[in-house]
Amino acid sequence: MMVAMTDQVSGIEGRGRYRALVLRRLLLIFCLLGALFASVAVDMALGPANYPLADVLTALSRPETVSDQLRVVIWDIRMPIALMAVTVGASLSVAGAQMQTILANPLASPFTLGISAAASFGAALGLVAGIAIFPVAVSYMVPINAFLMAMLAALFIHFASTMRGVTVETIVLLGIALVFTFNAALSLLEYLASEQALAAVVFWTMGSLTKATWPKVWITGAVLLFAVPLFARHAWALTALRLGDDKAASFGINVRRLRLEAMMTVSLLAAIPVSFVGTIGFVGLVGPHIARMLVGEDQRFFLPASVLCGALLLSVTSVVSKMLIPGAVLPIGVITALVGVPFFFVLIFTNRRRAW
Amino acid sequence: MVSLTLEKVGANYGRRTVLSDVNTGLLRGGGLTAVIGPNAAGKSTLFKRIAGLTSGPGTVHLSDAAKGPEGICYMPQDTGANAVLTVYESVLLSAKQGSGWKVKDGELAEIDRVLGELRIADLAFRDLGELSGGQRQLVSIAQALVRRPEVLLMDEPTSALDLFRQIEVLGFMKRLSAQSGMAVLIALHDLNHALRYCDDTIVISGGSVAASGRTHEVITADMLRSVYRVEARVEACSMGRPVVIVDGSL
């Protein structure tokens, strides 16, 4: 086919410019990766006893050459917390990114659609009333309760979004309704709770990395490693969803199946970290927006950028939470927004590219 | 050359029947077929049904199509203005569906060619959200053409274009279909465009075919009265081409 409307324009420039655009995005992703490594190292250096960064790097690269005390502090105490920040941040950010993609909604995130509120209610059921939704594993009652309630909320949102006549605005309203419903139920449980149980619930809902353990890091990391390749496999199709359902379907995509598959994976990604570390609201909403502003919405770049932005955001927050009051580690859920909002504002007001 | 026949084709949304008993003669490649009719008559649904995007009774017969049903491409009215993608990326997206991450030089060359043909290469690295409705419509055409379809179903592709661009795009599509043998069905509201560019016309009204055949035989004063409820004439202009002149509504 060589039919032009009128004067044909040379295409060589387009090809070159596209390759340059790809290179620029890859560089940005590598910069984010570098920043994340730096942040994790600083996170491990800070704590009740601060260590020089060089000692931390030596403990990481040649653990046999450092003192037993430093090795134990870095490898057994601080590294699970630092890596938990990375895996939780990455999971929540990817969950938010894909929620925003499949629901075509910039406000979608595990927090704004009620998934975190549902998880908090599930956790409170265990902490206050001792109710195990899945009685087989009583020793993991709190995280499993949180996980099951989060899955329930996510599936509700998904099936509501597939109903005929349900618009993007309706989904947001349904999410807000879920937030209010679960928060009301949580308040009722808190009202009825003993003083000890109440303290546990309040601490849980603030979000904290201090109870991170290696098994929790492995589980969160494993879910992330399962989910990201799954999304990556559908990178072109997920990107096409942003052009609208009709357009995506016209590209040969089974939109309904893709949305269901993505929503199930997103539910898992959102529910697991929340069940381990409590409510961390900001990362799932803003992580993807920052990634979008940096690299656009081609999922081949948007997906890794979302992973890195979420991980970096929570890792930096973990650092800040240790620095604000020397000797104390503040709940990370409280600090996330305080750190992220100014940065997000700067990006919004300085970035000429549309955020949505 | 590809050809298409519809036999008792229908479509349902839930329990509601929106299209029924659509039969057509042989719709041959190499030319344009207009699909006309009032708003909500079922034109878009017919396209979706032909493309296999909605279910329903009846059969879509496809002959001499090398790609089979995969060669049918539906170009919807919706053009996705919210996506944070450049024009170039959005066309690449169409070309790469179902394939791997790696983008080959040949694929980029194809995009350059299509953007060049549609004279929108200067828009290539602008975000979709910055474009006007008409520019987005041209991008939508590029997204369809880069897939090299054998049957192209264009849902009101010129509705947001200025007059110059409407004529340019329809003339381009006519030449392209003649050269490639592609069958192009275009939903149109401008009946003078149908008369000028389309060999055949299907009139959809109330979810079924009101008339079909050669365009100049289908677009008549009687059809305009019964389907569109307007009093109109079809007369030859000073250049000898038939044009619709509307006198008023009934």
Side-chain angles (χ1 to χ4, degrees):
Chain A
M1 285 191 287
M2 276 304 285
V3 182
M5 289 219 287
T6 45
D7 319 319
Q8 194 166 340
V9 179
S10 164
I12 291 171
E13 195 200 353
R15 226 172 305 168
R17 281 187 69 183
Y18 177 74
R19 292 288 187 210
L21 186 74
V22 167
L23 192 65
R24 196 160 65 239
R25 286 179 178 167
L26 287 175
L27 278 173
L28 269 169
I29 287 171
F30 278 111
C31 287
L32 285 171
L33 191 62
L36 180 62
F37 275 122
S39 174
V40 168
V42 173
D43 195 12
M44 284 193 274
L46 295 179
N50 293 338
Y51 296 108
L53 213 50
D55 289 0
V56 174
L57 294 175
T58 310
L60 289 175
S61 57
R62 285 175 289 137
E64 69 283 357
T65 62
V66 298
S67 68
D68 287 349
Q69 187 207 8
L70 179 60
R71 193 169 55 243
V72 168
V73 168
I74 296 298
W75 281 88
D76 296 343
I77 299 172
R78 293 190 187 172
M79 198 190 284
I81 294 174
L83 293 184
M84 196 69 183
V86 170
T87 53
V88 168
S91 299
L92 291 176
S93 181
V94 172
Q98 301 307 356
M99 275 182 171
Q100 289 166 12
T101 300
I102 59 179
L103 296 176
N105 191 328
L107 293 176
S109 82
F111 191 73
T112 49
L113 291 185
I115 293 172
S116 298
S120 296
F121 172 71
L125 268 183
L127 291 166
V128 174
I131 295 171
I133 300 173
F134 186 65
V136 177
V138 177
S139 51
Y140 287 99
M141 179 174 63
V142 173
I144 288 178
N145 274 6
F147 172 72
L148 291 175
M149 288 307 295
M151 285 293 280
L152 202 66
L155 289 177
F156 174 76
I157 291 290
H158 167 68
F159 286 112
S161 72
T162 58
M163 285 168 69
R164 199 167 167 74
V166 171
T167 62
V168 166
E169 291 78 10
T170 318
I171 293 297
V172 177
L173 286 174
L174 279 175
I176 291 169
L178 278 187
V179 171
F180 278 109
T181 306
F182 283 116
N183 281 348
L186 181 65
S187 298
L188 183 67
L189 280 176
E190 286 175 342
Y191 180 74
L192 299 172
S194 68
E195 208 168 295
Q196 194 184 1
L198 178 64
V201 172
V202 169
F203 187 71
W204 197 91
T205 53
M206 281 181 181
S208 173
L209 295 169
T210 51
K211 287 184 182 168
T213 58
W214 277 115
K216 289 178 184 174
V217 174
W218 292 133
I219 292 171
T220 317
V223 172
L224 191 65
L225 284 177
F226 160 76
V228 170
L230 211 67
F231 290 132
R233 195 162 62 87
H234 294 304
W236 294 114
L238 284 165
T239 312
L241 272 188
R242 294 290 297 115
L243 298 175
D245 284 10
D246 274 356
K247 180 68 86 179
S250 78
F251 289 169
I253 297 162
N254 186 334
V255 173
R256 209 179 163 85
R257 199 174 65 195
L258 176 67
R259 199 170 262 142
L260 177 65
E261 199 177 306
M263 196 64 186
M264 297 297 284
T265 314
V266 159
S267 309
L268 202 64
L269 259 182
I272 290 281
V274 172
S275 64
F276 284 147
V277 301
T279 309
I280 296 174
F282 190 72
V283 181
L285 179 69
V286 172
H289 280 293
I290 295 172
R292 188 176 288 115
M293 280 187 267
L294 293 175
V295 299
E297 284 191 296
D298 179 340
Q299 290 265 344
R300 293 174 305 148
F301 309 104
F302 180 48
L303 184 60
S306 293
V307 167
L308 292 169
C309 283
L312 182 61
L313 205 57
L314 210 55
S315 182
V316 169
T317 307
S318 175
V319 171
V320 174
S321 71
K322 293 174 186 175
M323 291 169 71
L324 279 182
I325 302 173
V329 180
L330 297 173
I332 200 159
V334 178
I335 309 298
T336 324
L338 294 177
V339 173
V341 167
F343 177 58
F344 190 46
F345 277 177
V346 169
L347 267 180
I348 285 177
F349 291 123
T350 56
N351 201 317
R352 279 180 300 166
R353 192 154 208 217
R354 289 173 338 114
W356 185 262
Chain B
M1 198 174 283
V2 68
S3 61
L4 192 73
T5 316
L6 308 184
E7 189 185 341
K8 292 184 176 175
V9 165
N12 308 313
Y13 287 137
R15 288 180 186 169
R16 196 163 61 95
T17 300
V18 285
L19 203 66
S20 59
D21 272 336
V22 174
N23 294 293
T24 64
L26 200 63
L27 304 171
R28 288 188 186 83
L32 308 188
T33 300
V35 177
I36 61 173
N39 292 328
K43 300 185 291 293
S44 300
T45 306
L46 175 64
F47 282 177
K48 287 180 186 174
R49 176 67 184 83
I50 295 172
L53 303 180
T54 186
S55 58
T59 315
V60 177
H61 296 286
L62 201 60
S63 309
D64 300 323
K67 295 181 181 175
E70 299 232 320
I72 301 177
C73 179
Y74 167 56
M75 190 195 123
Q77 293 177 44
D78 177 18
T79 50
N82 281 330
V84 186
L85 292 168
T86 63
V87 168
Y88 206 89
E89 287 173 300
S90 78
V91 179
L92 175 67
L93 193 56
S94 175
K96 287 296 290 180
Q97 289 301 324
S99 52
W101 274 32
K102 191 172 164 55
V103 178
K104 296 173 190 146
D105 278 342
E107 291 165 331
L108 296 180
E110 183 71 359
I111 294 165
D112 285 336
R113 183 190 63 79
V114 170
L115 294 180
E117 281 178 359
L118 287 166
R119 290 210 307 134
I120 50 172
D122 56 326
L123 302 178
F125 292 93
R126 281 176 58 188
D127 276 359
L128 291 177
E130 296 172 11
L131 305 182
S132 69
Q135 287 171 326
R136 281 206 299 276
Q137 230 161 19
L138 292 169
V139 173
S140 204
I141 296 172
Q143 288 167 347
L145 292 182
V146 81
R147 297 170 71 82
R148 289 188 179 262
E150 290 173 299
V151 176
L152 179 55
L153 310 164
M154 307 177 87
D155 201 348
E156 298 185 28
T158 56
S159 60
L161 298 180
D162 62 50
L163 193 56
F164 175 77
R165 280 293 204 174
Q166 289 177 33
I167 290 167
E168 200 177 41
V169 164
L170 289 170
F172 168 69
M173 290 310 301
K174 191 170 174 68
R175 290 195 301 279
L176 186 63
S177 64
Q179 193 174 336
S180 65
M182 175 169 54
V184 182
L185 274 70
I186 304 186
L188 286 173
H189 279 302
D190 190 326
L191 303 186
N192 285 320
H193 284 335
L195 280 165
R196 182 164 177 181
Y197 293 103
C198 301
D199 309 309
D200 296 300
T201 292
I202 302 168
V203 185
I204 305 285
S205 180
S208 59
V209 175
S212 70
R214 304 301 284 176
T215 300
H216 64 276
E217 291 168 2
V218 168
I219 299 180
T220 60
D222 286 344
M223 185 279 288
L224 293 167
R225 195 176 302 116
S226 62
V227 173
Y228 287 92
R229 291 180 295 146
V230 293
E231 202 60 64
R233 294 165 280 148
V234 182
E235 294 185 354
C237 70
S238 58
M239 295 177 77
R241 293 193 188 113
V243 289
V244 173
I245 300 163
V246 179
D247 295 317
S249 58
L250 291 176

